[in-house]
Amino acid sequence: MVGTVFVVSVLLQTAATPVAAIPASATSEEPICRRLEVTGSIARKERVCKTKAEWRAAEENGNSRARAIVDYSTGRPTGQ
């Protein structure tokens, strides 16, 4: 009888304790949409939707590629 009361009390305590919820932004970020100009067109723009993390990764990738081009060309004579 004491064992049953103990088990029931433990179950009630765990049921009453709220579970730490994962923030909605961490599990499924809402996409951020931007309109980007299409290369070679005067008026055409394309809508691109990505999460905040994907936009950040794309920006970092572009920055690192630009930095690599500058580092590669620094100190090299023109035309080589």
Side-chain angles (χ1 to χ4, degrees):
M1 178 85 163
V2 174
T4 307
V5 172
F6 177 73
V7 171
V8 171
S9 67
V10 169
L11 289 175
L12 289 174
Q13 287 176 356
T14 57
T17 306
V19 177
I22 299 172
S25 62
T27 58
S28 61
E29 293 186 21
E30 291 186 24
I32 300 169
C33 298
R34 297 181 184 171
R35 294 182 59 81
L36 303 176
E37 295 179 2
V38 176
T39 303
S41 176
I42 296 173
R44 185 168 176 220
K45 295 189 181 199
E46 187 175 283
R47 185 176 182 200
V48 180
C49 298
K50 297 180 181 182
T51 63
K52 189 175 183 179
E54 290 171 332
W55 282 116
R56 187 178 307 120
E59 183 179 335
E60 290 174 2
N61 183 27
N63 288 343
S64 65
R65 290 178 72 188
R67 194 173 299 112
I69 291 169
V70 170
D71 290 345
Y72 179 75
S73 63
T74 304
R76 295 177 53 96
T78 305
Q80 289 187 3

